[in-house]
């Protein structure tokens, strides 16, 4: 009997804390970050921090400055996937993951990768199916003026955008 649920199956390897847990979709193999609580706009989902700063980005790092890339702690935050209609934002300045769209318990926590990445190490084609899907995700540097108006960006990206003078 075949039954493929659209709800991602939780793997055995679940790292969990008060607000969210990581799980693996057994069909696609993708890791996801799920909320264990409901959040409203401006709620703090989690504090985060980092210990090392790397010169070069990789697909798990978040940019905090020119040639400055961090690995998020707690580490399960790195499972947060991209969406062009995100419900969370990594505010690097205050080191908090903030809710920007109401999140229900059990919902996936997503953020807009270019909100924190200027020129991505590993661009990809998005298939989030949101109304305003950007398509190719390669960093804030490549967004159109119109796309830029829809999102919140880290202080570093805002600084880069100001210098970019588009
Ligand atoms: Zn998209």
């Amino acid at each position: 009997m075949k039954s493929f649920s659209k709800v991602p199956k939780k793997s055995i390897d679940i790292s969990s804390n008060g607000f969210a847990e990581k799980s693996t979709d057994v069909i696609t193999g993708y890791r996801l970050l799920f909320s264990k609580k409901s959040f409203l706009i401006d709620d703090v989902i989690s504090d985060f921090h980092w210990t090392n700063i790397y010169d070069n980005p990789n697909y798990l790092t978040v940019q905090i400055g020119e040639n400055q890339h961090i690995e998020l702690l707690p580490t399960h935050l790195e499972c947060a996937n991209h969406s062009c209609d995100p419900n969370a934002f990594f505010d690097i300045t205050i080191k908090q993951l903030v809710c920007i769209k109401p999140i229900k318990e059990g919902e996936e926590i997503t953020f807009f990768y270019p909100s924190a990445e200027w020129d991505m190490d590993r661009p990809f084609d998005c298939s989030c199916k949101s109304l305003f899907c950007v398509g190719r995700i390669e960093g804030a540097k490549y967004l159109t003026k119109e796309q830029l108006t829809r999102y919140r960006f880290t202080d570093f990206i805002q600084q880069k955008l100001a210098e970019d003078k588009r």
Side-chain angles (χ1 to χ4, degrees):
M1 196 168 77
K2 271 190 212 166
S3 131
F4 290 110
S5 159
K6 281 189 177 165
V7 179
K9 308 272 191 305
K10 290 182 173 70
S11 72
I12 302 161
D13 169 35
I14 290 174
S15 90
S16 178
N17 69 11
F19 75 93
E21 66 185 23
K22 144 186 130 177
S23 70
T24 305
D25 184 317
V26 289
I27 298 165
T28 62
Y30 286 127
R31 298 189 303 170
L32 312 156
L33 186 68
F34 277 94
S35 183
K36 290 173 73 180
K37 289 197 233 173
S38 299
F39 293 98
L40 297 173
I41 292 174
D42 290 337
D43 281 352
V44 176
I45 300 168
S46 174
D47 292 315
F48 63 88
H49 62 285
W50 55 87
T51 48
N52 300 316
I53 299 176
Y54 303 92
D55 295 341
N56 298 306
N58 67 52
Y59 75 106
L60 293 176
T61 57
V62 174
Q63 185 165 27
I64 61 165
E66 202 74 58
N67 305 316
Q68 292 186 309
H69 306 269
I70 56 155
E71 282 174 2
L72 294 163
L73 294 168
T75 53
H76 62 270
L77 291 179
E78 73 192 20
C79 298
N81 289 320
H82 165 87
S83 170
C84 298
D85 187 16
N87 53 24
F89 171 72
F90 281 98
D91 192 323
I92 305 296
T93 308
I94 57 173
K95 299 184 179 178
Q96 285 177 331
L97 178 62
V98 182
C99 175
I100 55 171
K101 202 176 82 171
I103 299 171
K104 291 191 199 106
E105 185 185 335
E107 201 176 319
E108 186 180 358
I109 297 172
T110 57
F111 77 107
F112 185 63
Y113 282 10
S115 69
E117 300 294 330
W118 181 245
D119 193 357
M120 283 166 53
D121 174 51
R122 232 190 260 192
F124 62 92
D125 292 313
C126 183
S127 54
C128 74
K129 297 189 179 72
S130 91
L131 194 59
F132 297 111
C133 183
V134 166
R136 186 83 178 153
I137 305 299
E138 33 189 357
K141 184 181 177 178
Y142 304 95
L143 296 172
T144 65
K145 266 188 180 172
E146 202 262 326
Q147 289 167 337
L148 288 171
T149 61
R150 278 192 232 122
Y151 299 99
R152 184 165 160 186
F153 296 90
T154 62
D155 288 346
F156 170 69
I157 296 298
Q158 287 185 47
Q159 186 192 316
K160 292 292 285 181
L161 289 168
E163 287 166 9
D164 204 38
K165 293 193 182 70
R166 266 180 282 187

